[in-house]
Amino acid sequence: QNEDERSLLKFLGSDGVEQRVDLKYALRLCISHKRMQACIHIYSLMRLYEEAVDLALSVKDIESAKLNADKPEEDEALRKKLWLKIARHVIEEQKDIKKAIEFLQQSEILKIEDILPFFDDFVLIDDFKKEICTALEEYNKHIEQLKHGMDEATQSADMIRKDIKELRARSGLVVAGQKCDLCNSTVLSRQFYLFPCQHVFHCDCL
């Protein structure tokens, strides 16, 4: 960055700049003058995080790319997409396994299985042994949680079936002179509900 771009970035980082500047026009000017860092910042201000990440990667500014990848906090799918772009760039451009593992540790949204497809076929599994074991342990925990949830759901279903069976077998007695507990008229004069507590109401009284 030269002095001019540092000053420009300082201005773009000031409070309320979105209200004082036509960001689309500013972006066109920065592109025409090849102020790439400023363009990344403007894309971010415009909430165009994917464009910001793409441009940051094109100028090999990994830190700016990571910063923008985390900005769409409400959109986890987009965050993961952006982190995957950065991961692919780091792995395919730098071809450094250690850096790739370090990068994985920095990202809270990516797992080892997300980035494995980006590695060449000749990469030894020993390089990822620890990470793969950790991933398998997490999968096992998740499977156990699912099994536990399924067992609870099965128990709940059995209890519901038992309740339904008991309800079907339950009966009640209404005598000829019994009256509606709301209108006090003869309950047998029209449709009614009989509750387990033995209260009885006309349908149209409820």
Side-chain angles (χ1 to χ4, degrees):
Q1 296 176 15
N2 57 33
E3 188 63 38
D4 289 341
E5 189 159 19
R6 281 196 290 269
S7 299
L8 179 57
L9 288 170
K10 184 177 180 180
F11 170 73
L12 290 171
S14 60
D15 293 334
V17 68
E18 299 97 322
Q19 285 74 42
R20 292 182 281 119
V21 174
D22 183 338
L23 294 177
K24 291 182 180 178
Y25 178 68
L27 180 62
R28 289 196 298 270
L29 280 178
C30 290
I31 291 173
S32 65
H33 289 84
K34 300 187 184 304
R35 297 292 189 262
M36 295 298 103
Q37 292 296 327
C39 289
I40 295 169
H41 197 87
I42 293 171
Y43 277 134
S44 184
L45 289 173
M46 297 170 72
R47 300 178 189 270
L48 298 174
Y49 303 121
E50 187 166 2
E51 287 81 353
V53 169
D54 287 340
L55 182 56
L57 292 178
S58 72
V59 297
K60 303 187 185 305
D61 186 350
I62 304 299
E63 292 305 315
S64 290
K66 289 191 289 189
L67 183 66
N68 281 282
D70 264 338
K71 286 190 175 180
E73 296 178 357
E74 305 295 323
D75 190 342
E76 186 169 329
L78 177 57
R79 281 180 62 218
K80 186 168 184 177
K81 179 183 178 181
L82 298 179
W83 274 102
L84 281 171
K85 281 190 174 196
I86 303 169
R88 185 166 196 156
H89 177 88
V90 169
I91 294 167
E92 294 183 352
E93 293 292 324
Q94 300 184 10
K95 299 187 184 300
D96 189 325
I97 294 173
K98 288 184 178 180
K99 283 189 176 180
I101 299 302
E102 289 174 5
F103 174 83
L104 187 65
Q105 293 168 348
Q106 293 170 7
S107 168
E108 297 177 355
I109 202 167
L110 295 184
K111 296 181 178 179
I112 184 66
E113 61 267 29
D114 295 320
I115 68 170
L116 281 177
F118 302 145
F119 287 97
D120 294 328
D121 293 338
F122 60 80
V123 173
L124 296 176
I125 196 171
D126 284 348
D127 295 319
F128 306 104
K129 186 175 180 179
K130 181 180 177 182
E131 286 71 22
I132 291 173
C133 288
T134 301
L136 290 174
E137 288 174 3
E138 289 178 359
Y139 277 129
N140 285 333
K141 288 179 183 178
H142 184 58
I143 289 170
E144 288 301 319
Q145 289 172 353
L146 289 175
K147 285 181 179 178
H148 181 68
M150 290 173 66
D151 289 341
E152 288 184 343
T154 301
Q155 291 175 6
S156 296
D158 289 340
M159 291 175 65
I160 291 170
R161 280 193 289 269
K162 182 180 177 183
D163 289 343
I164 291 172
K165 187 176 180 179
E166 290 177 353
L167 285 171
R168 284 176 177 169
R170 182 180 293 175
S171 61
L173 178 65
V174 177
V175 297
Q178 192 163 345
K179 295 181 179 181
C180 172
D181 287 306
L182 283 178
C183 71
N184 207 35
S185 62
T186 304
V187 74
L188 294 176
S189 61
R190 53 190 190 272
Q191 287 187 326
F192 61 89
Y193 290 117
L194 174 64
F195 288 87
C197 58
Q198 298 305 309
H199 285 89
V200 61
F201 305 97
H202 288 125
C203 294
D204 54 5
C205 288
L206 294 176

